[in-house]
């Protein structure tokens, strides 16, 4: 009997796979998933170009780092030029206050960092140092983007698109009755559809995460450890598993799954501010616990809201993984019960 | 009458005035929208905060003894530009959720059922169609944003005296202009999504997603590329920046300049209009 169910499930997965991967309705999911890849690719290109430029300038006009550090506010333009030589990049003059104040910016580089000295009427007033980006900085930025954009928004909305489409999309297309008329248990149908959605979501989002990780380490000699890489890919897959089950159930229980989706979005977004006990009733809490780097909330967060952020100990790896699987199993059991009683009224839907 | 005599005859009855034809669409849309109990409940919920604000304004003028006793409490009860800015922020959030509920059902049913030729075979232009559909959202969103805002302003004016209204008339202007900017952006996004995504649920998700994902992507772009311009993708932030300028609160919108915010909003509106007019046509090419 199990072998029969298994064969039926594989048949459903086979049928659903093309619809899930190649549906026109789901093309925006690819855009959402691969937008961060474009972002990291752009960053790599810009970084490599800047690095080459700075090294070429430093080779043509060598300026020792010690001399750059010796420059102090209050020095005159001539003193700075005497110590560092003629500026090599992007020097410009601007006049303020109807031309009364003459501002000038002189740029130097030691091959790694860029120093911009700002003069007002020939006197040094500001020193801006733009240091070369480091792998440690980019690793932290990746962790923040992964947790606050990729998990909370890209995978979330991607799963809304993929999993609500499995049942609700067929209702809209008036094609679900073909499945319901086939001699197949509703639970098997649900499991097959969920498996197809999960395979598609995991393939799309883990591929995107893997590309992002590759692009992250591309401009550097060092790279993330195998443990970190597998942790990020695993978290992306678990996010698809958790959110997928929720939105599959939403597609079955609600005529308009947008309402539960908006509710879940608000709940997951408010997770930062929830008390410890409530934090644990969310998917994002377990996913964040599994992330290898702790990303702090956005630095530009409203100070009043920042006061409301509550810190909670992350869940242990075993508990987090088991928790996500348990939540998924419970949601799927409820969804399969609903699927058993599912009746179609295309007119009403 | 013999069948062969039933030939086509042009309509000879009274015509609706050309300028008001677009108002026919909202009349039918409202009839359909208000059949939804959830929408009616949500619309009622949208008035809770303005009602709370009205109570707050009333109390702030009737607890004068509190001012005498406690200076901090008096500061807390001050009704100023910041109070109305917060009011606009809260109501803008409600307006956004209301748009996600109402917006998807505006254009998509006409496209799904190939009903556009039925509109455009009448003396009714595409602009009138767009204006008619948009007026549904404009009316509903106005009802929960600037109209109660102006009522609160008038209430405060009547309680605080004539000098207050002369000193703060620009707050009323900020409420109206700021709300209309937000309503315009939301309406155009909703209409464009509704026209391009025929599945209502997906259109609703996209309306939600445009603001949330735009904000998240903009911040991620800022962090990864070490720039500040990514904030322009966050339409809510752009609107808040414009409001902060209108309400003369310099600290409220720090990420981008007001001019950049205006440009971003204008660009978003133009893109939505282009998308909308590309879809709203009296014919459909079926490939």
């Amino acid at each position: 009997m199990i072998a029969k169910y298994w064969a039926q499930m594989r048949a459903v997965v086979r049928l659903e796979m093309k619809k899930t991967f190649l549906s026109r309705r789901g093309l925006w999911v690819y855009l959402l998933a691969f937008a961060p890849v474009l972002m990291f690719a752009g960053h790599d290109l810009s970084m490599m170009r800047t690095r080459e430029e700075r090294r070429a300038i430093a080779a043509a006009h060598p300026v020792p780092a010690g001399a750059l550090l010796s420059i102090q506010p209050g020095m005159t333009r001539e003193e700075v030029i005497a110590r560092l030589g003629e500026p090599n990049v992007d020097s410009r003059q601007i006049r303020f206050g109807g031309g009364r104040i003459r501002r000038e910016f002189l740029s130097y580089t030691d091959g790694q960092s860029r120093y911009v000295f700002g003069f007002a009427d020939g006197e040094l007033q500001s020193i801006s140092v733009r240091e070369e980006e480091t792998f440690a900085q980019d690793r932290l930025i990746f962790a923040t983007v992964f947790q606050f954009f990729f998990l909370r928004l890209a995978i979330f909305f991607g799963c809304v698109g993929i999993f609500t489409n499995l049942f609700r999309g067929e209702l809209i297309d008036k094609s679900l009755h073909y499945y319901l008329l086939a001699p197949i248990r509703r639970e098997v149908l649900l499991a097959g559809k969920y498996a197809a959605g999960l395979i598609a979501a995991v393939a799309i989002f883990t591929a995107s995460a893997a590309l992002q990780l590759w692009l992250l380490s591309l401009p550097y000699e060092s790279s993330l450890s195998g443990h970190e890489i597998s942790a990020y890919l695993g978290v992306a897959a678990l996010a698809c598993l958790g959110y997928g089950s929720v939105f599959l159930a939403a597609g079955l229980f609600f005529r308009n799954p947008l309402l539960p989706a908006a509710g879940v979005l608000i709940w997951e977004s408010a997770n930062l501010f929830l008390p410890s006990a409530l934090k644990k009733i969310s998917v994002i809490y377990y996913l964040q616990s599994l992330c290898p780097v702790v990303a702090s909330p956005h630095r530009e967060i409203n100070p009043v809201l920042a006061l409301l952020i509550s810190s909670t100990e992350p869940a242990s790896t075993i508990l987090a993984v088991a928790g996500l699987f348990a939540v998924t199993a419970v949601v799927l059991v409820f969804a399969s019960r609903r699927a058993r009683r599912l009746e179609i009224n295309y007119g009403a839907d | 009458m013999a069948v062969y005599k039933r030939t086509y005859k042009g309509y000879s009855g009274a015509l609706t005035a050309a300028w008001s034809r677009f108002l026919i669409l909202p009349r039918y849309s409202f009839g359909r929208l208000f059949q939804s109990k959830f929408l009616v409940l949500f619309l009622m919920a949208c008035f809770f905060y303005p009602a709370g604000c009205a109570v707050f304004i009333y109390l702030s003028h009737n607890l004068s003894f509190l001012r005498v006793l406690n200076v901090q409490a008096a500061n807390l009860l001050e009704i100023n530009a910041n109070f109305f800015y917060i009011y606009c922020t809260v109501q803008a959030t409600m307006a956004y959720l209301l748009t996600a509920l109402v917006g998807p059902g505006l254009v998509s049913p006409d496209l799904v059922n190939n009903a556009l030729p039925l509109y455009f075979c009448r003396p009714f232009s595409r602009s009138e169609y767009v204006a008619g559909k948009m007026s549904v959202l404009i009316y509903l969103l106005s009802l929960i944003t600037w109209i109660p805002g102006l009522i609160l302003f008038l209430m405060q004016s009547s309680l605080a005296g004539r000098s207050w209204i002369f000193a703060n008339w620009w707050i009323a202007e900020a409420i109206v202009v700021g709300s209309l900017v937000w309503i315009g952006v939301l309406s155009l996004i909703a209409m464009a999504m509704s026209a391009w995504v025929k599945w209502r649920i997906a259109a609703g998700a996209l309306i939600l997603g445009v603001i949330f994902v735009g904000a998240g992507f903009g911040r991620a772009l800022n962090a990864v590329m070490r720039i500040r311009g990514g904030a322009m993708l966050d339409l809510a932030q752009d609107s808040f920046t414009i409001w902060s300028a209108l309400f003369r609160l310099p600290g409220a919108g720090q990420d981008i300049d007001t001019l950049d915010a205006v440009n971003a909003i204008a660009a978003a509106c133009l893109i939505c209009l282009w998308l909308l007019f590309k879809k709203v046509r009296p014919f459909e090419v079926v490939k």
Side-chain angles (χ1 to χ4, degrees):
Chain A
M1 192 62 97
I2 301 261
K4 191 181 84 179
Y5 290 154
W6 186 243
Q8 286 179 334
M9 200 177 122
R10 273 186 306 175
V12 174
V13 170
R14 207 168 43 242
L15 284 169
E16 288 296 314
M17 213 47 118
K18 196 177 161 189
K19 279 193 263 179
T20 317
F21 269 111
L22 301 173
S23 126
R24 275 184 66 198
R25 199 180 274 165
L27 286 179
W28 60 272
V29 175
Y30 287 95
L31 186 71
L32 197 60
F34 289 95
V37 174
L38 293 177
M39 199 161 63
F40 279 101
H43 169 250
D44 284 3
L45 284 174
S46 143
M47 194 181 157
M48 286 195 274
R49 204 192 64 196
T50 312
R51 191 186 285 170
E52 275 176 25
E53 270 177 16
R54 284 183 189 173
R55 292 204 175 140
I57 291 165
H61 306 273
V63 183
L68 284 164
L69 292 173
S70 69
I71 304 298
Q72 298 295 324
M75 291 172 82
T76 62
R77 183 182 183 278
E78 287 69 31
E79 281 172 336
V80 171
I81 290 178
R83 208 172 278 193
L84 303 177
E86 281 299 317
N88 36 44
V89 277
D90 290 350
S91 298
R92 55 204 160 89
Q93 286 191 10
I94 305 166
R95 285 187 172 274
F96 285 95
R100 278 176 280 123
I101 303 167
R102 186 171 59 87
R103 278 203 167 274
E104 189 176 11
F105 298 92
L106 302 183
S107 292
Y108 292 89
T109 177
D110 59 357
Q112 290 190 326
S113 305
R114 185 181 174 204
Y115 291 74
V116 180
F117 300 109
F119 296 87
D121 287 334
E123 188 183 305
L124 182 59
Q125 289 206 326
S126 65
I127 302 174
S128 150
V129 184
R130 187 163 180 187
E131 290 179 351
E132 192 174 51
E133 290 143 25
T134 62
F135 182 67
Q137 285 171 353
D138 276 0
R139 183 169 163 260
L140 191 62
I141 286 172
F142 175 81
T144 312
V145 171
F146 184 82
Q147 289 174 41
F148 287 92
F149 176 71
F150 199 63
L151 285 183
R152 286 168 191 260
L153 294 170
I155 295 185
F156 182 92
F157 278 103
C159 285
V160 171
I162 291 171
F163 288 91
T164 54
N165 195 34
L166 291 173
F167 275 95
R168 196 50 51 182
E170 296 238 24
L171 278 167
I172 302 289
D173 291 341
K174 298 183 173 59
S175 57
L176 189 61
H177 62 283
Y178 295 118
Y179 273 125
L180 301 192
L181 289 171
I184 175 175
R185 285 181 73 91
R186 300 280 178 88
E187 291 88 340
V188 176
L189 172 66
L190 182 121
K193 276 183 169 282
Y194 178 69
L198 189 62
I199 290 167
V202 169
I204 293 168
F205 287 104
T206 52
S208 166
L211 276 172
Q212 289 172 54
L213 288 165
W214 176 66
L215 287 167
L216 171 71
S217 49
L218 191 63
Y220 302 102
E221 285 168 0
S222 46
S223 66
L224 294 177
S225 66
H227 166 73
E228 246 178 287
I229 292 172
S230 53
Y232 279 121
L233 297 183
V235 169
L238 284 172
C240 297
L241 183 99
Y243 287 129
S245 65
V246 171
F247 294 121
L248 178 79
L252 274 166
F253 281 98
F254 296 90
R255 194 187 290 176
N256 185 355
L258 192 64
L259 301 175
V264 175
L265 179 66
I266 291 167
W267 181 257
E268 297 279 300
S269 306
N271 185 265
L272 274 175
F273 311 104
L274 294 176
S276 178
L278 290 178
K279 257 183 205 235
K280 290 172 185 166
I281 315 171
S282 67
V283 175
I284 197 72
Y285 168 73
Y286 297 102
L287 293 174
Q288 279 196 312
S289 301
L290 290 169
C291 286
V293 177
V294 179
S296 58
H298 202 273
R299 65 185 166 78
E300 287 154 13
I301 199 163
N302 188 315
V304 180
L305 290 179
L307 289 173
L308 298 174
I309 293 176
S310 68
S311 60
T312 310
E313 280 294 306
S316 67
T317 307
I318 295 170
L319 183 71
V321 175
L324 280 167
F325 273 101
V327 167
T328 305
V330 169
V331 173
L332 287 180
V333 165
F334 275 107
S336 62
R337 281 189 176 186
R338 171 79 183 120
R340 275 206 71 76
R341 297 194 308 272
L342 184 67
E343 288 179 10
I344 305 173
N345 183 354
Y346 287 139
D349 286 297
Chain B
M1 184 187 286
V3 173
Y4 75 91
K5 285 188 178 173
R6 297 185 181 210
T7 51
Y8 173 78
K9 281 180 187 170
Y11 173 72
S12 56
L15 288 175
T16 308
W19 69 268
S20 64
R21 275 176 202 161
F22 76 97
L23 292 173
I24 296 165
L25 300 188
R27 199 192 323 157
Y28 287 97
S29 294
F30 285 132
R32 190 173 46 80
L33 280 175
F34 287 114
Q35 283 172 0
S36 162
K37 285 176 193 160
F38 180 80
L39 185 77
V40 175
L41 282 174
F42 186 80
L43 202 58
M44 280 170 66
C46 290
F47 292 106
F48 288 167
Y49 188 74
C53 287
V55 172
F56 192 84
I57 290 171
Y58 178 76
L59 287 179
S60 73
H61 289 278
N62 286 273
L63 292 174
S64 50
F65 68 95
L66 200 64
R67 289 171 193 245
V68 176
L69 291 175
N70 189 340
V71 178
Q72 281 184 332
N75 286 339
L76 191 75
L77 294 177
E78 197 176 348
I79 310 295
N80 53 16
N82 199 37
F83 173 86
F84 285 102
Y85 175 79
I86 293 168
Y87 163 83
C88 281
T89 312
V90 173
Q91 290 307 99
T93 311
M94 301 305 277
Y96 167 54
L97 293 174
L98 187 64
T99 307
L101 281 174
V102 175
L106 287 178
V107 183
S108 61
D110 292 341
L111 281 163
V112 170
N113 299 304
N114 294 321
L116 288 182
L118 295 176
Y119 286 103
F120 298 128
C121 69
R122 289 167 171 79
F124 197 67
S125 69
R126 288 200 292 164
S127 310
E128 281 171 321
Y129 176 82
V130 171
K133 292 288 181 181
M134 247 180 98
S135 62
V136 177
L137 276 173
I138 290 173
Y139 176 77
L140 279 179
L141 300 184
S142 297
L143 207 62
I144 63 164
T145 52
W146 64 269
I147 293 175
L150 276 188
I151 292 170
L152 290 177
F153 180 82
L154 291 174
M155 191 177 161
Q156 164 67 10
S157 307
S158 66
L159 290 168
R162 193 174 289 179
S163 60
W164 191 89
I165 196 167
F166 284 125
N168 296 287
W169 62 270
W170 54 270
I171 292 180
E173 194 181 282
I175 293 168
V176 176
V177 175
S179 300
L180 286 179
V181 167
W182 185 236
I183 289 169
V185 174
L186 286 182
S187 308
L188 284 171
I189 289 174
M191 299 270 290
M193 293 302 141
S194 177
W196 275 82
V197 185
K198 291 176 186 173
W199 190 27
R200 286 177 59 178
I201 295 159
L206 275 176
I207 294 168
L208 277 180
V210 163
I211 302 286
F212 272 99
V213 176
F217 189 71
R219 284 183 190 279
L221 200 65
N222 278 350
V224 174
M225 303 292 286
R226 274 80 163 176
I227 54 171
R228 292 177 74 86
M232 287 169 76
L233 295 176
D234 183 353
L235 292 175
Q237 178 66 44
D238 293 333
S239 296
F240 294 159
T241 305
I242 294 172
W243 293 352
S244 69
L246 289 168
F247 283 100
R248 303 180 188 176
L249 299 167
Q254 294 168 336
D255 277 5
I256 39 172
D257 296 336
T258 310
L259 188 64
D260 287 343
V262 172
N263 287 337
I265 292 278
C269 289
L270 285 176
I271 291 169
C272 288
L273 270 177
W274 177 71
L275 287 172
L276 196 54
F277 277 97
K278 218 168 151 49
K279 269 288 173 189
V280 177
R281 287 178 172 174
F283 58 89
E284 188 178 10
V285 179
V286 180
K287 289 180 183 169

